[in-house]
Amino acid sequence: MTGTRRTVAALFLLPALVLLGALVVYPIGYSVVRSFYDQSGDGFAGVDNYKALFTDDGIRTALKNNVIWVVFAPTVATALGLIFAVLTERVRWGTAFKLVVFMPMAISMLAAGIIFRLVYDQDPDKGVANAVWVGVHDTFAESSAFPKAHPGRDSPLRPENGGFITETPVRTGVPVALPLVGVAPDQMPGSAEKAVRARPEQGEITGTAWQDFTRGKGVGTLGAPDPSELGYAGMRIEAVQDGKVVASTKAAADGTFALPAEADGALLRLPASNFKEAYNGLDWLGPSLVTPAIIGSYIWMWAGFAMVLIAAGLAGIPRELLEAARVDGANEWQVFRRVTVPLLAPVLAVVAVTLMINVLKVFDLVFIIAPGSSQDDANVLALELYRKGFSEDQPGIASAIAVFLLLLVIPVMWFNVRRLRREVRR
């Protein structure tokens, strides 16, 4: 059409074809050939390496995880992209929001993996995910401040069902001492004040629950509050008689407490709820949650990509169709479900298929985020390829995995290219 001779065109295409052959065609061909040889590369193994794909436990786990990735990651990322694209059209600061959502795409997979390794840290003081989760949990179920507390020497308390109870009944007008040890000074509640010896009160059971430990040998008095010792602020105390709780209270900031006359002759119990371990959040990178956690980091990165493509498709929808639907009495949900989504179906398909191709090859996030103890549970085909080829020195099986991944990707790529060509023709 342009009058350019085929020879000239071929000369211009030759450098690109040479690079394509050297960097793509040759490695693919070599991998296919290598997949039929044993570990040494000298003996012909036939299809044994391909049989290992379905018999090796590590590869089977990787294959199962890849299925989970392909089903959930593209679906959730595309759905979020659709929601963001539709909603940002209705707000003035939509462009700024799109910029923020798309920004993770500028971060490399390696950097994103490091970021989310910190986000999912088990320690709530370091990991954002557990900091939020623990904050929500403690709003509804407050954790104990004294998980390590226990009776010291010559204590009037004995263990009972995870808590502690007095050896002898208490009497009105006689102050009760409930000394405990085992809580580090920096772990005491911020509201704790210096412990005070309880005063006797007529018709009441009074007492003190405190940290009976003073630094330094020979300093302080055992079994009695000293000036440097702190009260167990908020410690729950129950009066138990014949197996029933007849009265209960909580210790004040200085550790003092008071119970009514009904507690006379009862045993005082510090229930197990005072000593349960503080809630430390979820083990995001443990065997059961590591794959969903890594998928979450992937969605954080790629939802912006989906949003931008869908927003471009949304901009091309004729507005008169949407207005016609509203005039006909459709509400916003019906317009979205019956008009917007069907018109965006080609774009949604392209986005979902593109993400499917991407997740089939996911490696960086799994390798960086999953700790060594959970990497087997988070394993995917690309990571297993790396492990077989470089860590376990099994290049034949690694090549078979590479060929298998190529076979998985080709149909999805063909579908995507065919759909794109169809859209161009329209």
Side-chain angles (χ1 to χ4, degrees), residues 16 21 97 130 185 204 209 213 272 294 313 327 351 365 380:
F97 181 83
N130 265 342
E204 286 187 347
F213 178 79
I294 299 173
V327 170
V351 171
L365 289 176
V380 290

Side-chain angles (χ1 to χ4, degrees), residues 12 53 94 290 362 393:
F12 276 102
L53 299 181
V290 63
V362 69
D393 194 23

Side-chain angles (χ1 to χ4, degrees), residues 26 66 68-69 85 88 127 133 154 172 186 198 266 272 281-282 314 322 326 407 423:
Y26 173 74
N66 264 98
I68 295 173
W69 272 87
T88 50
W133 192 262
D154 303 327
T172 56
D186 60 340
L282 296 176
L314 195 61
L322 304 179
R326 294 187 181 100
L407 294 176
E423 290 300 316

Side-chain angles (χ1 to χ4, degrees), residues 273-336:
S273 59
N274 288 315
F275 311 103
K276 65 181 180 181
E277 291 288 340
Y279 184 66
N280 205 35
L282 296 176
D283 187 6
W284 295 102
L285 300 181
S288 58
L289 290 178
V290 63
T291 295
I294 299 173
I295 290 175
S297 66
Y298 177 89
I299 292 170
W300 175 76
M301 289 191 68
W302 287 87
F305 167 82
M307 178 195 66
V308 169
L309 292 188
I310 294 170
L314 195 61
I317 293 179
R319 298 299 158 179
E320 56 268 20
L321 294 178
L322 304 179
E323 293 303 325
R326 294 187 181 100
V327 170
D328 286 342
N331 57 36
E332 291 302 319
W333 168 246
Q334 290 172 325
V335 171
F336 173 75

Side-chain angles (χ1 to χ4, degrees), residues 96-393:
F97 181 83
K98 288 179 182 178
L99 179 63
V100 172
V101 175
F102 187 76
M103 196 176 294
M105 284 294 298
I107 301 174
S108 69
M109 286 281 196
L110 174 64
I114 295 172
I115 290 170
F116 274 87
R117 184 66 182 268
L118 297 173
V119 167
Y120 291 132
D121 195 288
Q122 179 69 41
D123 187 352
D125 293 331
K126 298 178 182 177
V128 175
N130 265 342
V132 174
W133 192 262
V134 170
V136 173
H137 173 274
D138 289 351
T139 300
F140 300 98
E142 187 177 353
S143 298
S144 169
F146 319 108
K148 304 295 183 183
H150 60 274
R153 291 178 297 151
D154 303 327
S155 175
L157 297 166
R158 60 178 172 81
E160 186 198 63
N161 298 328
F164 305 99
I165 194 167
T166 54
E167 296 276 4
T168 57
V170 296
R171 298 296 177 185
T172 56
V174 180
V176 183
L178 301 178
L180 294 168
V181 295
V183 181
D186 60 340
Q187 297 297 319
M188 290 291 285
S191 59
E193 298 178 359
K194 291 182 179 180
V196 176
R197 187 191 299 266
R199 297 180 179 180
E201 297 289 344
Q202 193 67 29
E204 286 187 347
I205 303 293
T206 58
T208 305
W210 81 101
Q211 173 81 351
D212 189 23
F213 178 79
T214 304
R215 292 181 180 274
K217 187 175 180 180
V219 178
T221 304
L222 186 66
D226 295 319
S228 62
E229 295 171 348
L230 298 175
Y232 278 130
M235 175 73 74
R236 184 170 182 81
I237 298 104
E238 297 175 344
V240 181
Q241 204 163 31
D242 299 327
K244 297 181 180 179
V245 178
V246 296
S248 65
T249 187
K250 284 188 177 181
D254 58 6
T256 58
F257 62 89
L259 291 163
E262 288 81 2
D264 186 49
L267 298 176
L268 295 191
R269 181 173 66 189
L270 306 180
S273 59
N274 288 315
F275 311 103
K276 65 181 180 181
E277 291 288 340
Y279 184 66
N280 205 35
L282 296 176
D283 187 6
W284 295 102
L285 300 181
S288 58
L289 290 178
V290 63
T291 295
I294 299 173
I295 290 175
S297 66
Y298 177 89
I299 292 170
W300 175 76
M301 289 191 68
W302 287 87
F305 167 82
M307 178 195 66
V308 169
L309 292 188
I310 294 170
L314 195 61
I317 293 179
R319 298 299 158 179
E320 56 268 20
L321 294 178
L322 304 179
E323 293 303 325
R326 294 187 181 100
V327 170
D328 286 342
N331 57 36
E332 291 302 319
W333 168 246
Q334 290 172 325
V335 171
F336 173 75
R337 186 165 61 93
R338 297 183 179 274
V339 181
T340 305
V341 172
L343 290 174
L344 284 175
V347 178
L348 296 176
V350 169
V351 171
V353 171
T354 302
L355 293 180
M356 283 181 187
I357 296 171
N358 191 271
V359 299
L360 281 171
K361 303 178 293 180
V362 69
F363 166 80
D364 318 60
L365 289 176
V366 181
F367 184 72
I368 298 298
I369 296 177
S373 58
S374 299
Q375 202 167 83
D376 288 341
D377 300 283
N379 201 9
V380 290
L381 287 174
L383 177 59
E384 186 65 14
L385 186 158
Y386 169 81
R387 294 168 71 175
K388 292 294 185 188
F390 297 97
S391 299
E392 301 177 22
D393 194 23

